[in-house]
Amino acid sequence: MVITMEKVETTITFLGTATCVPDAGHDTSSFIINGRHLVDTGWYSAIKMLNYGISPLDIETVFISHCHHDHYLGLPHILFYLCMKKKERPPIKIVGPASDIARVVGLAKSLLQPERFPDVDPPVEIIPVVPGKSLDVGELHIDTIKTIHPVEGLCYKFTDRRTDISFVYTGDTAYHPPIADFAKGVSLLIHEASHGQNSPNENNRHGHSGAPDAGRIAKIAGVKRLALVHCPLNSIQQAVTVAQSIFPNTFSPEDGETIKL
Ligand SMILES: [Zn+2]
Ligand SMILES: [Zn+2]
């Protein structure tokens, strides 16, 4: 008898990497872990998944970094897709900041008008998380810390318990040195760079970062690789070059690209 062992890998598939308002064909910062955990929904991640050969039916968990529109707008699409396909499945878990996630999921469900259309009432399990708390979901252990942003945000550290590989996603944040401690030695840091190749000015009331900030955090943390996301597409090359001058192992993921950690 031949027994084939399936190789266990930790993978990330980037659905979108654009800034708040994406250009045609692109989407805002959104990715999938191990083909089954979606992190931020972009504007239309259900369609992006189908574009890249991933079924939204396979998504078990949605992690929302924070409840600004460009990070949750795709949620009603996903819930609608699950209802239309009518596959028997456990409730989809939706993890997000304790301050906002229940309200936003409620609004997403309201948009589907379940009182008028009872078939469009997807079962969900809402998991509110206060920054600093940890939890386990499926094969993932998740640690969180707060971000510097106008709404409550979760910077996530995901550890795949099957492979012991960790990586960090900042969500939206101003330069925040505690993230470097939090991300110490991880395989990958996915850091926002909304300001492209420049750091924001002192005022920075929108609470975002630029490539120099991301590079600094990656360098202090001693991570293996830095991925810049949420960066204006017309300045991504300059942003990568600037970040590489601080932290050489920087790249900008392509939409639809899958990487193995
Ligand atoms: Zn954003
Ligand atoms: Zn934001």
Side-chain angles (χ1 to χ4, degrees), residues 65-71 149-151 171-173 192 206-208 230:
S65 63
H66 67 293
C67 292
H68 272 151
H69 310 78
D70 51 320
H71 298 261
H149 204 55
V151 298
D172 289 4
T173 185
E192 76 119 301
H206 296 299
H208 284 294
H230 220 17

mmCIF file with all atom_site columns, all heavy atoms in Angstrom, residues 65-71 149-151 171-173 192 206-208 230, ligand 2:
data_model
loop_
_atom_site.group_PDB
_atom_site.id
_atom_site.type_symbol
_atom_site.label_atom_id
_atom_site.label_alt_id
_atom_site.label_comp_id
_atom_site.label_asym_id
_atom_site.label_entity_id
_atom_site.label_seq_id
_atom_site.pdbx_PDB_ins_code
_atom_site.Cartn_x
_atom_site.Cartn_y
_atom_site.Cartn_z
_atom_site.occupancy
_atom_site.B_iso_or_equiv
_atom_site.pdbx_formal_charge
_atom_site.auth_seq_id
_atom_site.auth_comp_id
_atom_site.auth_asym_id
_atom_site.auth_atom_id
_atom_site.pdbx_PDB_model_num
ATOM   1   N  N   . SER A 1 65  ? -9.612  43.911 9.785  1.00 0.00 ? 65  SER A N   1
ATOM   2   C  CA  . SER A 1 65  ? -8.603  44.638 10.569 1.00 0.00 ? 65  SER A CA  1
ATOM   3   C  C   . SER A 1 65  ? -9.224  45.825 11.297 1.00 0.00 ? 65  SER A C   1
ATOM   4   O  O   . SER A 1 65  ? -8.857  46.122 12.433 1.00 0.00 ? 65  SER A O   1
ATOM   5   C  CB  . SER A 1 65  ? -7.455  45.114 9.666  1.00 0.00 ? 65  SER A CB  1
ATOM   6   O  OG  . SER A 1 65  ? -7.941  46.040 8.697  1.00 0.00 ? 65  SER A OG  1
ATOM   7   N  N   . HIS A 1 66  ? -10.140 46.506 10.622 1.00 0.00 ? 66  HIS A N   1
ATOM   8   C  CA  . HIS A 1 66  ? -10.838 47.647 11.223 1.00 0.00 ? 66  HIS A CA  1
ATOM   9   C  C   . HIS A 1 66  ? -12.012 47.999 10.323 1.00 0.00 ? 66  HIS A C   1
ATOM   10  O  O   . HIS A 1 66  ? -12.070 47.561 9.167  1.00 0.00 ? 66  HIS A O   1
ATOM   11  C  CB  . HIS A 1 66  ? -9.904  48.844 11.420 1.00 0.00 ? 66  HIS A CB  1
ATOM   12  C  CG  . HIS A 1 66  ? -9.421  49.461 10.149 1.00 0.00 ? 66  HIS A CG  1
ATOM   13  N  ND1 . HIS A 1 66  ? -8.584  48.811 9.274  1.00 0.00 ? 66  HIS A ND1 1
ATOM   14  C  CD2 . HIS A 1 66  ? -9.656  50.673 9.588  1.00 0.00 ? 66  HIS A CD2 1
ATOM   15  C  CE1 . HIS A 1 66  ? -8.310  49.594 8.253  1.00 0.00 ? 66  HIS A CE1 1
ATOM   16  N  NE2 . HIS A 1 66  ? -8.969  50.740 8.406  1.00 0.00 ? 66  HIS A NE2 1
ATOM   17  N  N   . CYS A 1 67  ? -12.926 48.772 10.849 1.00 0.00 ? 67  CYS A N   1
ATOM   18  C  CA  . CYS A 1 67  ? -14.187 48.959 10.126 1.00 0.00 ? 67  CYS A CA  1
ATOM   19  C  C   . CYS A 1 67  ? -14.243 50.266 9.358  1.00 0.00 ? 67  CYS A C   1
ATOM   20  O  O   . CYS A 1 67  ? -15.223 51.021 9.464  1.00 0.00 ? 67  CYS A O   1
ATOM   21  C  CB  . CYS A 1 67  ? -15.364 48.767 11.081 1.00 0.00 ? 67  CYS A CB  1
ATOM   22  S  SG  . CYS A 1 67  ? -15.497 47.047 11.610 1.00 0.00 ? 67  CYS A SG  1
ATOM   23  N  N   . HIS A 1 68  ? -13.211 50.543 8.571  1.00 0.00 ? 68  HIS A N   1
ATOM   24  C  CA  . HIS A 1 68  ? -13.311 51.535 7.500  1.00 0.00 ? 68  HIS A CA  1
ATOM   25  C  C   . HIS A 1 68  ? -13.817 50.809 6.251  1.00 0.00 ? 68  HIS A C   1
ATOM   26  O  O   . HIS A 1 68  ? -13.494 49.640 6.032  1.00 0.00 ? 68  HIS A O   1
ATOM   27  C  CB  . HIS A 1 68  ? -11.949 52.195 7.215  1.00 0.00 ? 68  HIS A CB  1
ATOM   28  C  CG  . HIS A 1 68  ? -11.678 53.395 8.076  1.00 0.00 ? 68  HIS A CG  1
ATOM   29  N  ND1 . HIS A 1 68  ? -10.408 53.784 8.439  1.00 0.00 ? 68  HIS A ND1 1
ATOM   30  C  CD2 . HIS A 1 68  ? -12.529 54.299 8.627  1.00 0.00 ? 68  HIS A CD2 1
ATOM   31  C  CE1 . HIS A 1 68  ? -10.482 54.887 9.193  1.00 0.00 ? 68  HIS A CE1 1
ATOM   32  N  NE2 . HIS A 1 68  ? -11.759 55.207 9.324  1.00 0.00 ? 68  HIS A NE2 1
ATOM   33  N  N   . HIS A 1 69  ? -14.550 51.552 5.427  1.00 0.00 ? 69  HIS A N   1
ATOM   34  C  CA  . HIS A 1 69  ? -15.303 50.943 4.328  1.00 0.00 ? 69  HIS A CA  1
ATOM   35  C  C   . HIS A 1 69  ? -14.448 50.065 3.408  1.00 0.00 ? 69  HIS A C   1
ATOM   36  O  O   . HIS A 1 69  ? -14.885 49.002 2.981  1.00 0.00 ? 69  HIS A O   1
ATOM   37  C  CB  . HIS A 1 69  ? -15.969 52.040 3.499  1.00 0.00 ? 69  HIS A CB  1
ATOM   38  C  CG  . HIS A 1 69  ? -16.739 53.017 4.328  1.00 0.00 ? 69  HIS A CG  1
ATOM   39  N  ND1 . HIS A 1 69  ? -16.127 54.027 5.052  1.00 0.00 ? 69  HIS A ND1 1
ATOM   40  C  CD2 . HIS A 1 69  ? -18.053 53.117 4.588  1.00 0.00 ? 69  HIS A CD2 1
ATOM   41  C  CE1 . HIS A 1 69  ? -17.041 54.710 5.704  1.00 0.00 ? 69  HIS A CE1 1
ATOM   42  N  NE2 . HIS A 1 69  ? -18.221 54.178 5.445  1.00 0.00 ? 69  HIS A NE2 1
ATOM   43  N  N   . ASP A 1 70  ? -13.238 50.543 3.098  1.00 0.00 ? 70  ASP A N   1
ATOM   44  C  CA  . ASP A 1 70  ? -12.424 49.817 2.118  1.00 0.00 ? 70  ASP A CA  1
ATOM   45  C  C   . ASP A 1 70  ? -11.936 48.473 2.657  1.00 0.00 ? 70  ASP A C   1
ATOM   46  O  O   . ASP A 1 70  ? -11.321 47.701 1.921  1.00 0.00 ? 70  ASP A O   1
ATOM   47  C  CB  . ASP A 1 70  ? -11.230 50.675 1.641  1.00 0.00 ? 70  ASP A CB  1
ATOM   48  C  CG  . ASP A 1 70  ? -10.409 51.257 2.773  1.00 0.00 ? 70  ASP A CG  1
ATOM   49  O  OD1 . ASP A 1 70  ? -10.984 51.690 3.776  1.00 0.00 ? 70  ASP A OD1 1
ATOM   50  O  OD2 . ASP A 1 70  ? -9.166  51.283 2.640  1.00 0.00 ? 70  ASP A OD2 1
ATOM   51  N  N   . HIS A 1 71  ? -12.232 48.182 3.925  1.00 0.00 ? 71  HIS A N   1
ATOM   52  C  CA  . HIS A 1 71  ? -11.810 46.900 4.511  1.00 0.00 ? 71  HIS A CA  1
ATOM   53  C  C   . HIS A 1 71  ? -12.984 45.955 4.779  1.00 0.00 ? 71  HIS A C   1
ATOM   54  O  O   . HIS A 1 71  ? -12.766 44.807 5.127  1.00 0.00 ? 71  HIS A O   1
ATOM   55  C  CB  . HIS A 1 71  ? -10.999 47.149 5.793  1.00 0.00 ? 71  HIS A CB  1
ATOM   56  C  CG  . HIS A 1 71  ? -9.743  47.915 5.505  1.00 0.00 ? 71  HIS A CG  1
ATOM   57  N  ND1 . HIS A 1 71  ? -8.512  47.306 5.383  1.00 0.00 ? 71  HIS A ND1 1
ATOM   58  C  CD2 . HIS A 1 71  ? -9.539  49.224 5.250  1.00 0.00 ? 71  HIS A CD2 1
ATOM   59  C  CE1 . HIS A 1 71  ? -7.594  48.221 5.081  1.00 0.00 ? 71  HIS A CE1 1
ATOM   60  N  NE2 . HIS A 1 71  ? -8.210  49.402 4.997  1.00 0.00 ? 71  HIS A NE2 1
ATOM   61  N  N   . HIS A 1 149 ? -4.798  54.657 14.386 1.00 0.00 ? 149 HIS A N   1
ATOM   62  C  CA  . HIS A 1 149 ? -5.714  54.912 13.275 1.00 0.00 ? 149 HIS A CA  1
ATOM   63  C  C   . HIS A 1 149 ? -6.973  55.551 13.865 1.00 0.00 ? 149 HIS A C   1
ATOM   64  O  O   . HIS A 1 149 ? -7.241  55.354 15.051 1.00 0.00 ? 149 HIS A O   1
ATOM   65  C  CB  . HIS A 1 149 ? -6.023  53.567 12.582 1.00 0.00 ? 149 HIS A CB  1
ATOM   66  C  CG  . HIS A 1 149 ? -6.458  53.703 11.164 1.00 0.00 ? 149 HIS A CG  1
ATOM   67  N  ND1 . HIS A 1 149 ? -5.726  54.372 10.211 1.00 0.00 ? 149 HIS A ND1 1
ATOM   68  C  CD2 . HIS A 1 149 ? -7.564  53.242 10.516 1.00 0.00 ? 149 HIS A CD2 1
ATOM   69  C  CE1 . HIS A 1 149 ? -6.368  54.312 9.056  1.00 0.00 ? 149 HIS A CE1 1
ATOM   70  N  NE2 . HIS A 1 149 ? -7.489  53.646 9.215  1.00 0.00 ? 149 HIS A NE2 1
ATOM   71  N  N   . PRO A 1 150 ? -7.752  56.296 13.077 1.00 0.00 ? 150 PRO A N   1
ATOM   72  C  CA  . PRO A 1 150 ? -8.897  56.993 13.676 1.00 0.00 ? 150 PRO A CA  1
ATOM   73  C  C   . PRO A 1 150 ? -9.990  56.081 14.230 1.00 0.00 ? 150 PRO A C   1
ATOM   74  O  O   . PRO A 1 150 ? -10.810 56.527 15.037 1.00 0.00 ? 150 PRO A O   1
ATOM   75  C  CB  . PRO A 1 150 ? -9.452  57.832 12.512 1.00 0.00 ? 150 PRO A CB  1
ATOM   76  C  CG  . PRO A 1 150 ? -8.305  58.011 11.591 1.00 0.00 ? 150 PRO A CG  1
ATOM   77  C  CD  . PRO A 1 150 ? -7.498  56.750 11.698 1.00 0.00 ? 150 PRO A CD  1
ATOM   78  N  N   . VAL A 1 151 ? -10.049 54.826 13.793 1.00 0.00 ? 151 VAL A N   1
ATOM   79  C  CA  . VAL A 1 151 ? -11.004 53.882 14.389 1.00 0.00 ? 151 VAL A CA  1
ATOM   80  C  C   . VAL A 1 151 ? -10.214 52.725 15.000 1.00 0.00 ? 151 VAL A C   1
ATOM   81  O  O   . VAL A 1 151 ? -9.049  52.518 14.669 1.00 0.00 ? 151 VAL A O   1
ATOM   82  C  CB  . VAL A 1 151 ? -12.014 53.329 13.355 1.00 0.00 ? 151 VAL A CB  1
ATOM   83  C  CG1 . VAL A 1 151 ? -12.855 54.457 12.778 1.00 0.00 ? 151 VAL A CG1 1
ATOM   84  C  CG2 . VAL A 1 151 ? -11.301 52.560 12.249 1.00 0.00 ? 151 VAL A CG2 1
ATOM   85  N  N   . GLY A 1 171 ? -2.892  45.997 8.938  1.00 0.00 ? 171 GLY A N   1
ATOM   86  C  CA  . GLY A 1 171 ? -4.069  46.806 8.660  1.00 0.00 ? 171 GLY A CA  1
ATOM   87  C  C   . GLY A 1 171 ? -3.605  48.243 8.441  1.00 0.00 ? 171 GLY A C   1
ATOM   88  O  O   . GLY A 1 171 ? -2.455  48.474 8.049  1.00 0.00 ? 171 GLY A O   1
ATOM   89  N  N   . ASP A 1 172 ? -4.477  49.205 8.702  1.00 0.00 ? 172 ASP A N   1
ATOM   90  C  CA  . ASP A 1 172 ? -4.110  50.614 8.507  1.00 0.00 ? 172 ASP A CA  1
ATOM   91  C  C   . ASP A 1 172 ? -3.534  51.165 9.811  1.00 0.00 ? 172 ASP A C   1
ATOM   92  O  O   . ASP A 1 172 ? -4.150  51.027 10.872 1.00 0.00 ? 172 ASP A O   1
ATOM   93  C  CB  . ASP A 1 172 ? -5.340  51.445 8.138  1.00 0.00 ? 172 ASP A CB  1
ATOM   94  C  CG  . ASP A 1 172 ? -5.835  51.149 6.733  1.00 0.00 ? 172 ASP A CG  1
ATOM   95  O  OD1 . ASP A 1 172 ? -5.276  50.253 6.086  1.00 0.00 ? 172 ASP A OD1 1
ATOM   96  O  OD2 . ASP A 1 172 ? -6.796  51.826 6.302  1.00 0.00 ? 172 ASP A OD2 1
ATOM   97  N  N   . THR A 1 173 ? -2.395  51.801 9.709  1.00 0.00 ? 173 THR A N   1
ATOM   98  C  CA  . THR A 1 173 ? -1.801  52.370 10.917 1.00 0.00 ? 173 THR A CA  1
ATOM   99  C  C   . THR A 1 173 ? -0.746  53.422 10.576 1.00 0.00 ? 173 THR A C   1
ATOM   100 O  O   . THR A 1 173 ? -0.079  53.318 9.547  1.00 0.00 ? 173 THR A O   1
ATOM   101 C  CB  . THR A 1 173 ? -1.143  51.285 11.798 1.00 0.00 ? 173 THR A CB  1
ATOM   102 O  OG1 . THR A 1 173 ? -0.672  51.886 13.018 1.00 0.00 ? 173 THR A OG1 1
ATOM   103 C  CG2 . THR A 1 173 ? 0.037   50.600 11.095 1.00 0.00 ? 173 THR A CG2 1
ATOM   104 N  N   . GLU A 1 192 ? 1.065   48.288 5.639  1.00 0.00 ? 192 GLU A N   1
ATOM   105 C  CA  . GLU A 1 192 ? 0.452   49.292 4.762  1.00 0.00 ? 192 GLU A CA  1
ATOM   106 C  C   . GLU A 1 192 ? 1.451   50.398 4.424  1.00 0.00 ? 192 GLU A C   1
ATOM   107 O  O   . GLU A 1 192 ? 2.365   50.701 5.208  1.00 0.00 ? 192 GLU A O   1
ATOM   108 C  CB  . GLU A 1 192 ? -0.801  49.876 5.425  1.00 0.00 ? 192 GLU A CB  1
ATOM   109 C  CG  . GLU A 1 192 ? -0.533  50.871 6.542  1.00 0.00 ? 192 GLU A CG  1
ATOM   110 C  CD  . GLU A 1 192 ? -1.113  52.256 6.232  1.00 0.00 ? 192 GLU A CD  1
ATOM   111 O  OE1 . GLU A 1 192 ? -0.719  52.837 5.195  1.00 0.00 ? 192 GLU A OE1 1
ATOM   112 O  OE2 . GLU A 1 192 ? -1.926  52.732 7.038  1.00 0.00 ? 192 GLU A OE2 1
ATOM   113 N  N   . HIS A 1 206 ? -5.042  61.080 9.402  1.00 0.00 ? 206 HIS A N   1
ATOM   114 C  CA  . HIS A 1 206 ? -5.701  59.872 8.906  1.00 0.00 ? 206 HIS A CA  1
ATOM   115 C  C   . HIS A 1 206 ? -5.027  58.590 9.409  1.00 0.00 ? 206 HIS A C   1
ATOM   116 O  O   . HIS A 1 206 ? -5.532  57.488 9.165  1.00 0.00 ? 206 HIS A O   1
ATOM   117 C  CB  . HIS A 1 206 ? -5.753  59.872 7.376  1.00 0.00 ? 206 HIS A CB  1
ATOM   118 C  CG  . HIS A 1 206 ? -6.583  61.002 6.822  1.00 0.00 ? 206 HIS A CG  1
ATOM   119 N  ND1 . HIS A 1 206 ? -7.929  61.134 7.117  1.00 0.00 ? 206 HIS A ND1 1
ATOM   120 C  CD2 . HIS A 1 206 ? -6.269  62.052 6.037  1.00 0.00 ? 206 HIS A CD2 1
ATOM   121 C  CE1 . HIS A 1 206 ? -8.409  62.210 6.512  1.00 0.00 ? 206 HIS A CE1 1
ATOM   122 N  NE2 . HIS A 1 206 ? -7.418  62.801 5.865  1.00 0.00 ? 206 HIS A NE2 1
ATOM   123 N  N   . GLY A 1 207 ? -3.867  58.729 10.056 1.00 0.00 ? 207 GLY A N   1
ATOM   124 C  CA  . GLY A 1 207 ? -3.234  57.557 10.676 1.00 0.00 ? 207 GLY A CA  1
ATOM   125 C  C   . GLY A 1 207 ? -2.770  56.517 9.677  1.00 0.00 ? 207 GLY A C   1
ATOM   126 O  O   . GLY A 1 207 ? -3.198  55.359 9.736  1.00 0.00 ? 207 GLY A O   1
ATOM   127 N  N   . HIS A 1 208 ? -1.906  56.924 8.758  1.00 0.00 ? 208 HIS A N   1
ATOM   128 C  CA  . HIS A 1 208 ? -1.371  55.969 7.786  1.00 0.00 ? 208 HIS A CA  1
ATOM   129 C  C   . HIS A 1 208 ? 0.154   56.007 7.798  1.00 0.00 ? 208 HIS A C   1
ATOM   130 O  O   . HIS A 1 208 ? 0.767   56.833 8.492  1.00 0.00 ? 208 HIS A O   1
ATOM   131 C  CB  . HIS A 1 208 ? -1.891  56.290 6.379  1.00 0.00 ? 208 HIS A CB  1
ATOM   132 C  CG  . HIS A 1 208 ? -3.315  55.881 6.160  1.00 0.00 ? 208 HIS A CG  1
ATOM   133 N  ND1 . HIS A 1 208 ? -3.720  54.570 6.147  1.00 0.00 ? 208 HIS A ND1 1
ATOM   134 C  CD2 . HIS A 1 208 ? -4.445  56.627 5.953  1.00 0.00 ? 208 HIS A CD2 1
ATOM   135 C  CE1 . HIS A 1 208 ? -5.024  54.512 5.925  1.00 0.00 ? 208 HIS A CE1 1
ATOM   136 N  NE2 . HIS A 1 208 ? -5.494  55.747 5.820  1.00 0.00 ? 208 HIS A NE2 1
ATOM   137 N  N   . HIS A 1 230 ? -1.657  48.369 0.236  1.00 0.00 ? 230 HIS A N   1
ATOM   138 C  CA  . HIS A 1 230 ? -2.467  49.580 0.449  1.00 0.00 ? 230 HIS A CA  1
ATOM   139 C  C   . HIS A 1 230 ? -1.714  50.814 -0.036 1.00 0.00 ? 230 HIS A C   1
ATOM   140 O  O   . HIS A 1 230 ? -1.867  51.902 0.508  1.00 0.00 ? 230 HIS A O   1
ATOM   141 C  CB  . HIS A 1 230 ? -2.814  49.720 1.946  1.00 0.00 ? 230 HIS A CB  1
ATOM   142 C  CG  . HIS A 1 230 ? -4.220  50.195 2.192  1.00 0.00 ? 230 HIS A CG  1
ATOM   143 N  ND1 . HIS A 1 230 ? -5.195  50.164 1.265  1.00 0.00 ? 230 HIS A ND1 1
ATOM   144 C  CD2 . HIS A 1 230 ? -4.817  50.725 3.309  1.00 0.00 ? 230 HIS A CD2 1
ATOM   145 C  CE1 . HIS A 1 230 ? -6.331  50.628 1.780  1.00 0.00 ? 230 HIS A CE1 1
ATOM   146 N  NE2 . HIS A 1 230 ? -6.130  50.982 3.025  1.00 0.00 ? 230 HIS A NE2 1
HETATM 147 ZN ZN  . ZN  B 2 .   ? -8.570  52.714 7.608  1.00 0.00 ? 2   ZN  B ZN  1
#
